[in-house]
């Protein structure tokens, strides 16, 4: 089992670069299936989830070449013969479900397993199916498999009961090649939606309004090959910014689209963290005195992102006073609290709310990651804590971050990766 050993209490200093966005890369890879022309995608980070998505499109017999050293991905879906992605891959990564819209648009049919839930929630797909059904897709579900087919995808006005990111993406990709015009009302407006729309428009789609609550997609007969560079990962940017805040350091984070992180910046300023834009794509974080606790509620974009709630809670666990954290997006996104409690944090969870009493310090401990963002929260806690922390199941971190531990080490963090077999030989020095 892979784990990170962190010797905490070291303020981070220096500058660090954010990589391309996981949650923009995955839908853009899926959208590459819409065209039989060559697609080149740059700034694609070497993540476990990106590797899984590559395997998914390969399971459909698309030609894929990934140069991880240059973070450059080339896809040609001209020779796809199969409309049934690997069940195992779809079940172990929910974003694989995003191939449904492209397969229906290109071939009029698909057979795909119901994506599993995961640690943070049941992750239903009813809004995906409801939207696509409205465009003329017939579904039959049995034995955990979905059979989907349509004689012709037609443009429709679709209202999403909830601004689901994935449903917006699946419907937008299908609508790009439907007959007529589709309107998605109450659409998700995350930056990753805008990036996907930009990719599709560069391939010849006619999408307007991405990033707003209503998106219009005029269907076209087909899309062309194209090239695209993925936006920076706003969640990784937030995690790096918070690593400076929790350790009381002074760090410049580069390759950040600052308007994508404005909810985080606003909240950090409320706690007393010094953060300033040093140009349009970088921010500097310096922690002054002890931070103040603040109340936090996660919401769809442009609200505070649920994917930064666990990491921000680590800062609140060290901030003066009481904070109320309300998680409105997922039903089970406090899995990081167990680990924080083992590190002497004071957090009480009641339903979708957590009350955090700030402590002067956290104590190093052996903790277990349960999901990607929980692993990031525990990593940050280890960086801030007195003594040594071991975070096990660190493969979760690698689903969403490439070389994060090396980049943090470049800022002075004392982190080493090891497998648990080394654990017996190591005395955890208490300091
Ligand atoms: C995307 O997941 C992201 N993943 C998530 O990031 C992110 O947390 C989430 O959006 C919200 O911002 C990718 O982009 C690959 P949703 P997605 O559909 O599309 C409910 C990470 O850590 N819902 O907006 O699955 C659902 O249950 C991951 O990088 C339905 O009820 O999110 C949830 O409560 C975690 N029916 C809420 O909507 C549906 O058909 C938000 O889900 C779809 C969703």
């Amino acid at each position: 089992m892979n784990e990170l050993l962190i010797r905490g209490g070291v303020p981070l200093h220096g500058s660090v670069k954010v990589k391309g966005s996981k949650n923009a890369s995955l839908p853009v890879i899926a959208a590459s299936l819409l065209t039989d022309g060559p697609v080149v995608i740059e700034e694609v980070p070497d993540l476990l989830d990106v590797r899984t998505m590559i395997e998914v499109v390969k399971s459909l017999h698309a030609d894929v070449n990934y140069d991880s050293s240059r973070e450059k991905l080339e896809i040609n879906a001209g020779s796809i013969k199969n409309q049934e992605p690997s069940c195992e891959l779809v079940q172990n990564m929910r974003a694989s479900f995003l191939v449904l819209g492209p397969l229906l648009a290109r071939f009029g049919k698909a057979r795909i397993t119901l994506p599993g839930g995961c640690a943070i929630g049941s992750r239903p797909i009813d809004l995906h199916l409801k939207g696509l059904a409205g465009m003329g897709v017939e579904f039959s579900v049995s034995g955990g498999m979905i059979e989907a087919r349509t004689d012709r995808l037609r443009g429709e006005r679709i209202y999403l009961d909830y601004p689901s990111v994935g449903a917006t993406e699946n419907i937008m990709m299908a609508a790009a090649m439907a007959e007529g015009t589709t309107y998605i009302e109450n659409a998700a407006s995350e930056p990753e939606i805008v990036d996907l729309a930009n990719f599709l428009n560069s391939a010849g789609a006619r999408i307007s309004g991405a990033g707003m609550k209503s998106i219009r997609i005029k269907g076209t007969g087909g899309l062309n090959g194209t090239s695209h560079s993925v936006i920076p990962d706003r969640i990784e940017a937030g995690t790096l910014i918070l690593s400076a805040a929790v350790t009381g350091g002074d760090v410049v984070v580069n390759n950040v689209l600052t308007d994508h992180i404005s909810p985080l910046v606003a909240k950090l300023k409320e706690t007393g963290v010094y953060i300033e834009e040093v140009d349009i794509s970088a921010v500097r974080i310096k922690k002054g005195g002890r931070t103040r606790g603040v109340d936090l509620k996660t919401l769809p974009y442009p609200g505070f992102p649920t994917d930064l709630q666990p990491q921000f809670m680590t800062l609140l666990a060290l901030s003066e006073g009481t904070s109320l954290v309300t998680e409105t997006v997922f039903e089970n996104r406090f899995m990081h609290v167990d680990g924080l409690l083992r590190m002497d944090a004071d957090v009480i969870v009641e339903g979708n709310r957590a009350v955090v009493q700030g402590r002067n310090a956290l104590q190093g401990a052996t903790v277990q990651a349960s999901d990607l963002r929980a692993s990031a929260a525990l990593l940050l806690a280890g960086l801030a804590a007195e003594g040594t922390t071991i975070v096990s199941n660190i493969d979760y971190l690698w689903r969403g971050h490439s070389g994060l531990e090396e980049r943090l080490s470049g800022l002075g963090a004392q982190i080493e990766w090891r497998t648990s077999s080394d654990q017996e030989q190591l005395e955890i020095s208490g300091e």
Side-chain angles (χ1 to χ4, degrees):
M1 177 171 61
N2 292 306
E3 54 194 31
L4 287 183
L5 185 147
I6 307 149
R7 289 183 175 81
V10 179
L12 302 185
H13 286 84
S15 66
V16 64
K17 184 184 176 196
V18 177
K19 288 186 177 288
S21 163
K22 167 177 83 80
N23 291 349
S25 299
L26 298 177
V28 167
I29 293 169
S32 304
L33 301 176
L34 283 164
T35 174
D36 57 8
V39 171
V40 177
I41 313 167
E42 300 193 297
E43 304 296 323
V44 178
D46 189 5
L47 307 172
L48 293 183
D49 278 10
V50 164
R51 294 283 179 165
T52 300
M53 198 63 162
I54 288 170
E55 290 309 310
V56 169
V57 297
K58 278 183 173 176
S59 74
L60 298 168
H61 300 294
D63 295 327
V64 184
N65 176 44
Y66 180 49
D67 179 344
S68 56
S69 61
R70 295 166 62 205
E71 298 184 329
K72 182 176 181 179
L73 183 60
E74 296 169 314
I75 299 177
N76 192 315
S79 56
I80 285 189
K81 295 183 282 292
N82 166 15
Q83 288 84 38
E84 180 172 345
S86 151
C87 288
E88 182 191 351
L89 293 171
V90 173
Q91 288 197 315
N92 86 25
M93 187 187 68
R94 169 190 165 72
S96 318
F97 199 70
L98 292 172
V99 303
L100 178 61
L103 290 174
L104 288 168
R106 182 101 182 269
F107 304 102
K109 64 179 180 177
R111 187 167 189 272
I112 188 167
T113 181
L114 283 166
C118 68
I120 64 177
S122 62
R123 314 292 296 273
I125 47 143
D126 57 310
L127 298 176
H128 298 239
L129 303 187
K130 184 178 169 189
L132 293 168
M135 298 171 70
V137 179
E138 290 171 12
F139 292 100
S140 67
V141 182
S142 72
M145 293 299 292
I146 300 174
E147 301 272 356
R149 65 176 44 257
T150 180
D151 295 330
R152 70 180 185 87
L153 272 175
R154 61 176 187 273
E156 273 300 337
R157 186 174 291 277
I158 292 163
Y159 176 80
L160 290 180
D161 300 341
Y162 181 92
S164 156
V165 171
T168 301
E169 291 167 341
N170 244 332
I171 294 164
M172 188 158 73
M173 291 187 284
M177 286 171 44
E179 283 179 23
T181 300
T182 298
Y183 294 87
I184 306 175
E185 308 287 355
N186 195 31
S189 56
E190 275 71 351
E192 294 76 30
I193 301 286
V194 177
D195 205 35
L196 176 60
N198 289 339
F199 168 80
L200 290 168
N201 283 340
S202 75
R206 293 180 294 171
I207 299 171
S208 54
M212 314 296 283
K213 296 313 284 177
S214 177
I215 303 175
R216 186 188 71 193
I217 307 107
K218 289 184 175 178
T220 62
L223 298 182
N224 314 307
T226 186
S227 60
H228 181 75
S229 186
V230 163
I231 55 172
D233 192 315
R234 61 192 169 101
I235 305 304
E236 179 169 274
T239 300
L240 287 166
I241 287 167
L242 284 161
S243 73
V246 300
T247 58
D250 183 349
V251 172
V252 173
V253 177
N254 297 301
N255 196 32
V256 180
L257 293 179
T258 49
D259 59 340
H260 290 178
I261 58 166
S262 45
L264 173 72
V265 171
K267 272 296 159 186
L268 279 174
K269 286 180 175 173
E270 275 185 51
T271 68
V273 167
Y274 172 85
I275 182 167
E276 63 159 352
E277 292 182 24
V278 287
D279 69 40
I280 58 162
S281 64
V283 290
R284 181 183 180 195
I285 307 91
K286 260 179 73 176
K287 186 178 160 196
R290 189 164 177 225
T291 45
R292 296 182 295 276
V294 296
D295 294 342
L296 182 71
K297 177 184 274 191
T298 65
L299 288 167
Y301 195 85
F304 190 92
T306 176
D307 292 347
L308 281 174
Q309 176 264 107
Q311 302 91 313
F312 202 93
M313 187 185 285
T314 296
L315 178 64
L316 296 177
L318 288 160
S319 299
E320 194 166 354
T322 305
S323 304
L324 175 63
V325 177
T326 307
E327 172 56 58
T328 73
V329 177
F330 289 110
E331 62 265 34
N332 187 33
R333 202 169 208 173
F334 290 136
M335 305 282 278
H336 48 290
V337 171
D338 287 349
L340 292 177
L341 292 174
R342 284 177 59 82
M343 299 176 72
D344 214 22
D346 181 348
V347 184
I348 298 173
V349 173
E350 187 72 42
N352 74 332
R353 292 188 161 191
V355 177
V356 185
Q357 298 286 354
R359 308 291 294 248
N360 285 321
L362 295 177
Q363 302 305 317
T366 300
V367 294
Q368 202 163 50
S370 55
D371 60 85
L372 165 54
R373 306 307 177 183
S375 68
L378 296 176
L379 168 56
L380 296 185
L383 292 173
E386 294 173 349
T388 300
T389 297
I390 292 174
V391 183
S392 59
N393 289 351
I394 209 62
D395 294 56
Y396 283 114
L397 186 74
W398 298 336
R399 290 192 59 164
H401 296 288
S402 173
L404 183 62
E405 54 272 27
E406 284 89 356
R407 283 182 282 158
L408 289 168
S409 299
L411 296 174
Q414 296 185 19
I415 298 181
E416 62 181 86
W417 161 57
R418 56 190 208 146
T419 53
S420 54
S421 55
D422 305 337
Q423 186 167 351
E424 289 67 49
Q425 286 95 47
L426 185 95
E427 289 297 323
I428 293 182
S429 52
E431 277 118 3

